[in-house]
Amino acid sequence: QVQLVESGGGLVQPGESLKLSCVGSGRISNMDAMEWYRQAPGKERELVARITSDGNTNYAVFGSGRFTVSRDNAKNTVYLQMNSLKPEDTAVYYCHGFKIVNVEGARRDFWGPGTQVTVSS
């Protein structure tokens, strides 16, 4: 069982930056992918960014060019650097990891409790 804990959220003004961290209690290098999701009030949770075990990254359209996901396996940590933040980026940001456990594609999912990001002037 891997526990994930996010940190780095807070209140910032539009245009500013934040760097979120997600620390795993186990080896995140064993995960097939680590992801960042977010959920704004009244909205569904949405994928923000993904980094696979071999380092490939994918971003939601709203984050492309502004957000960067990275990982440090030695520290069991995944990061989300967010630049040029906008009020619409306000949400709870969640760290998520998954591991495919059999050939049928069954998987185990792990979620952090989330960290609040508020962008407001």
Side-chain angles (χ1 to χ4, degrees):
Q1 186 78 3
V2 176
Q3 294 184 335
L4 304 174
V5 179
E6 306 92 339
S7 63
L11 172 63
V12 296
Q13 295 189 349
E16 293 186 339
S17 299
L18 274 178
K19 186 174 185 177
L20 306 183
S21 299
C22 169
V23 180
S25 62
R27 298 176 65 179
I28 65 167
S29 58
N30 290 335
M31 299 290 179
D32 287 291
M34 296 295 299
E35 300 171 326
W36 286 96
Y37 280 77
R38 72 183 188 184
Q39 188 167 20
K43 295 187 177 181
E44 294 188 353
R45 192 172 296 191
E46 60 183 351
L47 180 65
V48 177
R50 172 186 296 122
I51 184 165
T52 65
S53 58
D54 55 4
N56 290 325
T57 57
N58 301 96
Y59 298 93
V61 171
F62 59 77
S64 184
R66 297 190 299 130
F67 295 175
T68 303
V69 61
S70 61
R71 62 195 295 166
D72 185 338
N73 289 337
K75 296 182 178 180
N76 288 319
T77 303
V78 179
Y79 304 98
L80 183 67
Q81 176 69 46
M82 303 187 293
N83 299 328
S84 302
L85 284 163
K86 306 174 182 179
E88 51 263 43
D89 294 319
T90 295
V92 178
Y93 284 71
Y94 297 91
C95 181
H96 171 250
F98 69 85
K99 175 67 177 176
I100 298 173
V101 297
N102 63 28
V103 295
E104 286 80 23
R107 59 189 239 180
R108 294 191 65 189
D109 291 80
F110 304 93
W111 290 93
T115 185
Q116 176 71 46
V117 172
T118 303
V119 185
S120 175
S121 56

